[in-house]
Amino acid sequence: MPQLRSTLDRYESTWRRWLPRVLCLAAVLLMPWIVTLGLTVQGHFGKRNLSNAWVWLDVLEAAALLLLAALVARRHRSTSPIASATAVLLGMDAFFDLWSAHRGQAFEIAELMAYCAELPSAALLAVLSWYSLDWAAAHRG
């Protein structure tokens, strides 16, 4: 872990400039998916229905990614818990997508999303959460 910390320290100005942009892009890319999910609810939107949960989970993920982008850009002390919570949301999304997808194309899409997007993003945010713990300690002075 000391080697990871020194590498992140060395390139902090670079990744702190680019990571908020990447997080914002990820949130924006979620928007068409949220609209697609919302349209598949087919008249059940607002009623007690499991389909609504998927829509709101993705809305929560997008909001968390946007908040995290703002926190990283400011090196804010709340970055660590928000990054951790967002990582949990992404991991939970991957788990339930894989668990609930039917065989065939739906499961293959769930696998693709989980293994290529959600889980790697969750791992990245877990590292960010660990790294940014020092930002909170620096504010205590």
Side-chain angles (χ1 to χ4, degrees):
M1 288 303 235
Q3 186 177 12
L4 178 59
R5 178 163 296 282
S6 65
T7 302
L8 290 172
D9 285 341
R10 191 172 333 125
Y11 297 106
E12 183 176 345
S13 63
T14 303
W15 65 259
R16 276 197 42 235
R17 183 175 56 249
W18 283 101
L19 186 58
R21 295 173 186 173
V22 170
L23 294 170
C24 285
L25 178 64
V28 168
L29 290 175
L30 266 174
M31 298 304 169
W33 180 248
I34 292 169
V35 170
T36 301
L37 284 176
L39 293 175
T40 61
V41 176
Q42 298 176 354
H44 298 287
F45 197 76
K47 296 180 183 177
R48 292 183 71 100
N49 183 339
L50 187 58
S51 298
N52 290 327
W54 298 120
V55 173
W56 290 110
L57 177 63
D58 287 339
V59 168
L60 188 58
E61 288 172 0
L65 289 168
L66 290 172
L67 175 61
L68 195 53
L71 294 174
V72 169
R74 290 171 179 77
R75 207 172 193 260
H76 196 275
R77 63 183 178 183
S78 297
T79 302
S80 181
I82 300 300
S84 180
T86 307
V88 169
L89 282 173
L90 289 168
M92 183 179 70
D93 191 4
F95 172 80
F96 283 110
D97 284 348
L98 290 171
W99 180 74
S100 65
H102 298 289
R103 291 183 184 173
Q105 186 180 11
F107 187 74
E108 291 170 0
I109 291 171
E111 280 186 313
L112 182 68
M113 292 295 294
Y115 299 132
C116 295
E118 294 161 341
L119 294 176
S121 298
L124 174 73
L125 294 179
V127 170
L128 174 64
S129 178
W130 163 77
Y131 182 80
S132 62
L133 281 171
D134 288 345
W135 300 353
H139 286 283
R140 292 186 186 161

